[in-house]
Amino acid sequence: MANQDIYANLTQLGGKTELPNSPDEAVLEKVPNPQAGTEYAVRFTAPEFTSLCPLTAQPDFAHIVIDYVPGDWLVESKSLKLYLGSFRNHGAFHEDCSVSIGKRLVELLAPKWLRVGAYWYPRGGIPIDVFYQTGPELPGVWIPDQGVPTYRGRG
């Protein structure tokens, strides 16, 4: 599918776009999947994800890995980058941020399968890892390990 018309409705790609003030304001965009008849995995990795603690407004940091098996739609990567960046000034607990990302992508894309692994760096001496998945992995689709080790500190 080389038809450029599939990109006609994108509003952020190819131009200057400001970082949204919040995840609710962020516009996630999708494009038709040119390989819709083939089951394959897509991975996005955001090793420098940030959000704010909702009580102290101190920054929290995570390594986010998003894996999905697309159906008819692909998420447009610049819009995803801006969406993830919009959490930078957003106050929410780790669990809320992590699961919200997964649910928003499911709502947009209706993927065949999706997994979010959110590996948060320690707050108060305790790392919090949050995992969201829509169901079992699909047979015949290679889903590699997310490759993020559990937090070991300085040991």
Side-chain angles (χ1 to χ4, degrees), residues 41-98:
V42 177
R43 171 168 291 168
F44 288 98
T45 304
E48 298 175 347
F49 181 87
T50 59
S51 67
L52 298 176
C53 172
L55 301 179
T56 66
Q58 293 296 309
D60 289 319
F61 302 90
H63 185 131
I64 306 275
V65 181
I66 301 165
D67 294 316
Y68 76 103
V69 176
D72 293 332
W73 300 100
L74 301 173
V75 66
E76 192 283 309
S77 60
K78 181 177 180 181
S79 75
L80 178 63
K81 179 177 85 170
L82 292 167
Y83 170 65
L84 294 176
S86 73
F87 282 85
R88 186 171 295 159
N89 295 315
H90 177 71
F93 289 124
H94 299 335
E95 297 85 350
D96 186 29
C97 291
S98 307

Side-chain angles (χ1 to χ4, degrees), residues 37-41 69 112-113 133 135-143:
T38 304
E39 289 185 338
Y40 62 97
V69 176
K112 294 179 180 181
W113 178 84
Q133 185 169 302
E137 293 179 5
L138 300 177
V141 178
W142 179 50
I143 309 291

Side-chain angles (χ1 to χ4, degrees), residues 10-32:
L10 298 177
T11 63
Q12 300 172 95
L13 189 61
K16 183 177 184 212
T17 309
E18 297 294 326
L19 190 66
N21 290 321
S22 72
D24 291 337
E25 291 179 22
V27 176
L28 270 173
E29 297 185 322
K30 62 185 179 181
V31 296

